[in-house]
């Protein structure tokens, strides 16, 4: 059935409790145990995370994206002030002692906006793909990596070494399902990634939170785990109770065209479609389909409308 979802309503808020101030135990991730790279002390290890002064980092002149939304950058900067820069940049060393961004320019801009003097980064020797792959795989085998570092290493093998999940699983000696589960951790909100990284929540907690669609609810549940010391089973029970809370669709009136969108698209999928819209107007449409025939029918309708 087509439905509209609006995020964390009053009923959910009442069940989860008031948001707690956990700043005393939720300190920004600073990678303070990582080596600092300077002009006089260049990096030797390209597989580990190192810290680089922001003044030594230069944007990539070939970056296809030239404009960055100011409001979104400020939101990311505020997140970085609270939780730190959780996912490092990837840079390459230049002959002048500087480092050029390969990926993560948006994170770099937000980090500067947040006032960071050092940022965590992977330093890649882009000239030798095989050596890079070997270095990353070797780094994954270390026992002191936290779950987010493992997940980011897997993502690097996909993005920088052009490996599929199946090939990557072979390289690291893991089951593909295990690799997939780690990669899903990077879809969690920054707050949850932070708490997973520093050990305030477990991988078991994170897997349960991934089953919750609304990021606001994920964050509220994360606060509850940290504040109340919930076990994985207790978290599962709490989510079951949340699912029984009736939706509060009357809280926000939506323009008529949203319902027309649901009506038009829903007819191809038995109305099995939902729409989530925040106060800013941003949102997502989720379609659940039952067969290839449904998708083929939808594609055929799109092609006919273009003629």
């Amino acid at each position: 059935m087509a439905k509209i979802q609006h995020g964390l309503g009053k009923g959910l808020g009442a069940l989860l409790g008031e948001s707690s101030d956990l700043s005393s135990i939720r300190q920004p991730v600073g990678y303070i145990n990582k080596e600092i790279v300077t002009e006089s002390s260049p990096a030797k290890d390209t597989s580990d995370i190192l810290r680089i002064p922001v003044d030594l980092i230069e944007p990539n002149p070939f970056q296809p994206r030239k404009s960055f939304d100011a409001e979104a950058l400020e939101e990311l900067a505020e997140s970085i002030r609270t939780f730190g820069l959780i996912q490092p940049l990837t840079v390459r060393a230049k002959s002048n002692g500087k480092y050029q961004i390969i990926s993560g320019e948006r994170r770099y801009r937000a980090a500067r906006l947040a006032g960071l003097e050092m940022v965590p980064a992977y330093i890649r020797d882009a000239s030798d793909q095989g050596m890079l792959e070997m270095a990353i795989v070797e780094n994954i085998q270390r026992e002191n990596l936290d779950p987010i570092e493992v997940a980011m290493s897997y993502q690097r093998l996909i993005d920088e070494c052009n490996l599929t999940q199946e090939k990557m699983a072979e390289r690291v000696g893991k089951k593909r399902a295990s690799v997939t589960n780690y990669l899903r951790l990077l879809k969690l909100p920054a707050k949850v990634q932070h708490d997973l990284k520093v050990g305030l929540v477990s991988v078991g907690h994170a897997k349960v939170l991934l089953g919750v669609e609304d990021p606001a609810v994920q964050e509220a549940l994360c606060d509850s785990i940290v504040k109340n010391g919930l076990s994985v089973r207790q978290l599962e029970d709490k989510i079951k109770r949340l699912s029984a809370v009736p939706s509060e669709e009357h809280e926000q009136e939506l323009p008529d065209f949203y319902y027309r969108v649901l009506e038009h698209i829903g007819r191809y999928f038995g109305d099995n479609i939902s729409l989530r819209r925040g106060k800013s107007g941003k949102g997502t449409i989720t379609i659940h389909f039952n067969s290839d025939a449904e998708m083929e029918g939808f594609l055929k309708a799109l092609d006919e409308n273009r003629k």
Side-chain angles (χ1 to χ4, degrees):
M1 180 178 180
K3 54 186 177 181
I4 303 282
Q5 299 179 23
H6 301 293
L8 189 60
K10 294 178 181 177
L12 294 180
L15 186 55
L16 287 170
E18 294 298 324
S19 178
S20 302
D21 182 9
L22 300 171
S23 57
S24 61
I25 57 175
R26 188 177 273 146
Q27 298 298 318
V29 172
Y31 292 94
I32 58 175
N33 61 324
K34 301 298 184 181
E35 179 183 346
I36 297 176
V37 176
T38 64
E39 288 183 277
S40 60
S41 178
K44 299 178 181 178
D45 180 6
T46 61
S47 66
D48 197 4
I49 299 170
L50 304 177
R51 288 191 293 161
I52 305 178
V54 292
D55 293 338
L56 293 184
I57 298 177
E58 300 175 348
N60 189 333
F62 302 105
Q63 159 70 258
R65 185 178 180 183
K66 299 300 182 184
S67 61
F68 295 83
D69 182 81
E71 182 177 351
L73 270 181
E74 181 53 49
E75 289 179 359
L76 180 55
E78 184 59 34
S79 174
I80 291 172
R81 293 185 191 104
T82 304
F83 306 114
L85 184 57
I86 298 173
Q87 297 190 31
L89 315 177
T90 298
V91 300
R92 62 164 60 94
K94 297 183 65 180
S95 58
N96 61 357
K98 298 293 183 72
Y99 296 86
Q100 188 178 85
I101 296 173
I102 295 176
S103 66
E105 183 163 339
R106 179 172 174 269
R107 277 168 281 154
Y108 167 73
R109 288 173 180 246
R112 295 201 68 145
L113 194 59
L116 267 59
E117 296 182 356
M118 297 271 183
V119 292
Y122 296 109
I123 300 176
R124 173 177 171 180
D125 182 359
S127 63
D128 193 330
Q129 189 81 6
M131 288 295 292
L132 172 67
E133 181 183 324
M134 185 171 62
I136 296 175
V137 171
E138 181 179 346
N139 194 52
I140 292 173
Q141 307 306 324
R142 292 164 46 197
E143 296 182 355
N144 62 341
L145 292 183
D146 62 66
I148 294 299
E149 284 182 300
V150 173
M152 292 187 301
S153 295
Y154 287 162
Q155 192 64 54
R156 289 189 73 201
L157 286 171
I158 291 175
D159 295 341
E160 299 178 44
C161 299
N162 301 314
L163 295 183
T164 63
Q165 287 193 26
E166 185 174 359
K167 289 293 185 184
M168 179 175 58
E170 293 177 4
R171 295 285 200 280
V172 299
K174 302 288 184 181
K175 292 182 179 180
R176 181 173 178 178
S178 175
V179 167
T180 300
N181 284 334
Y182 269 101
L183 289 170
R184 291 177 67 218
L185 299 178
L186 300 179
K187 299 181 182 297
L188 290 165
K191 176 190 288 187
V192 184
Q193 288 191 42
H194 169 280
D195 291 358
L196 180 59
K197 183 173 182 61
V198 300
L200 292 175
V201 302
S202 70
V203 173
H205 288 118
K207 288 180 179 178
V208 175
L209 291 176
L210 282 165
V212 177
E213 292 187 5
D214 192 327
V217 178
Q218 288 176 327
E219 292 185 349
L221 286 166
C222 184
D223 282 343
S224 187
I225 295 168
V226 176
K227 179 183 177 182
N228 302 311
L230 299 183
S231 67
V232 174
R233 177 62 61 85
Q234 288 172 324
L235 176 62
E236 291 173 336
D237 291 342
K238 198 175 191 70
I239 291 174
K240 287 179 182 178
R241 296 197 301 274
L242 286 177
S243 64
V245 176
S247 62
E248 302 177 21
E249 297 182 1
H250 61 278
E251 288 188 352
Q252 184 180 0
E253 188 67 28
L254 294 176
D256 288 342
F257 64 82
Y258 278 95
Y259 298 96
R260 291 175 58 197
V261 169
L262 289 173
E263 180 182 354
H264 285 305
I265 300 179
R267 71 179 62 173
Y268 300 101
F269 301 99
D271 286 335
N272 198 3
I273 174 175
S274 63
L275 186 150
R276 186 190 304 277
R277 176 186 181 272
K279 292 182 179 179
S280 67
K282 296 180 180 179
T284 58
I285 293 178
T286 303
I287 297 173
H288 301 274
F289 56 92
N290 296 313
S291 65
D292 293 340
E294 284 189 347
M295 291 300 293
E296 289 177 354
F298 184 51
L299 178 60
K300 181 179 179 181
L302 290 176
D303 288 339
E304 289 177 351
N305 287 332
R306 285 193 303 181
K307 294 178 181 178

